[in-house]
């Protein structure tokens, strides 16, 4: 069954052709409007598409897949299903654009890195904010699904911003993500003291510089 996504676009369809696309993926319990405040601080050459996760939680909150918030535990099959569904949407819009870049916050970073690890050649770059990469060994649905060898060969530019004292993402997930990123992507990692589980203005400025250098001027 095709998933119908709610998407906030920064350009009308008639003005998207030939622009680079940046796909914004929000975190757990948010919606497609959550990351829009970042866009004025990012390069305006892009068309930005902020996608709402499909699983409704009530009161305007959504998730990409069911999550045990206490332990940040999830079903690998559910995560894989969310990635497959999102590929359907990306493939339906990508032909209009010169490139596709992913920007994911928290759980949105988990979804974005999972997309990146299935078809790394499809993306110009990725930005991960206050999130994590999915460990495929945590469950039955993902071992063998990711192609990290292809990602390593591709060396996709990857910006990872976070606060060392982030109160939400467990240290074991940070450690796994750090180990994974060091081996597979062209990593730019920056720590932001005081950001907590959020995004600060300095970080947005750094993401602006990253997107300009790695996508627009590449």
């Amino acid at each position: 069954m095709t998933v119908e996504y709610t998407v906030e676009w920064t350009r009308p369809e008639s003005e998207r052709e030939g622009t680079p696309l940046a796909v914004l993926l929000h975190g757990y319990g948010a919606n497609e409007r959550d990351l829009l405040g970042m866009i004025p601080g990012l390069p305006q050459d892009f068309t930005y598409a902020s996608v709402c996760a499909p699983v409704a939680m009530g009161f305007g909150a959504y998730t990409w897949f069911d999550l045990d918030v206490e332990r940040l535990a999830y079903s690998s099959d559910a995560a894989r299903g969310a990635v497959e569904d999102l590929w359907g949407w990306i493939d339906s819009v990508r032909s209009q654009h010169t490139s596709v870049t992913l920007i994911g916050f928290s759980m949105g970073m988990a979804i974005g890195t999972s997309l990146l690890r299935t078809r790394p050649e499809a993306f110009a770059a990725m930005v991960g904010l206050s999130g994590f990469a999915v460990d495929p060994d945590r469950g039955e649905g993902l071992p063998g699904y990711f192609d990290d060898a292809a990602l390593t060969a591709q060396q996709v530019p990857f910006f990872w911003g976070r606060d060392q004292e982030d109160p939400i993402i467990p240290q074991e997930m940070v450690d796994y993500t750090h180990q994974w990123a060091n081996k597979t992507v062209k990593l730019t990692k920056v720590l932001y003291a005081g950001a907590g589980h959020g995004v600060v203005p300095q970080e947005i400025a750094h993401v602006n510089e990253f997107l300009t250098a790695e996508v627009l001027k590449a």
Side-chain angles (χ1 to χ4, degrees), residues 59-214:
F59 304 102
Y62 294 82
T63 181
W64 297 100
F65 49 84
D66 289 331
L67 184 71
D68 179 338
V69 188
E70 299 263 325
R71 300 180 295 121
L72 280 194
Y74 51 85
S75 158
S76 297
D77 281 335
R80 178 171 178 165
V83 171
E84 291 291 323
D85 289 341
L86 198 50
W87 264 123
W89 177 80
I90 291 173
D91 284 338
S92 74
V93 299
R94 61 178 299 115
S95 63
Q96 283 187 288
H97 301 279
T98 54
S99 65
V100 181
T101 295
L102 300 169
I103 303 175
F105 173 78
S106 194
M107 184 192 261
M109 178 176 165
I111 287 289
T113 51
S114 297
L115 290 164
L116 186 66
R117 297 166 80 179
T118 54
R119 285 164 54 184
E121 75 286 349
F123 300 107
M126 178 166 176
V127 174
L129 306 171
S130 303
F132 61 97
V134 170
D135 183 349
D137 293 330
R138 284 174 60 116
E140 70 290 340
L142 291 170
Y145 181 58
F146 295 145
D147 192 349
D148 282 347
L151 181 56
T152 302
Q154 196 79 14
Q155 284 294 288
V156 175
F158 190 101
F159 181 97
W160 184 19
R162 54 179 290 269
D163 182 354
Q164 190 104 15
E165 305 299 325
D166 186 323
I168 300 298
I169 308 299
Q171 189 60 44
E172 66 179 81
M173 290 187 173
V174 172
D175 291 343
Y176 171 78
T177 304
H178 190 259
Q179 177 190 43
W180 165 79
N182 274 327
K183 292 190 300 186
T184 58
V185 294
K186 180 185 172 185
L187 180 62
T188 300
K189 184 183 71 170
V190 188
L191 297 174
Y192 299 93
H197 191 64
V199 181
V200 294
Q202 184 187 26
E203 190 171 8
I204 295 172
H206 288 161
V207 172
N208 186 335
E209 293 169 3
F210 171 83
L211 293 175
T212 299
E214 296 292 356

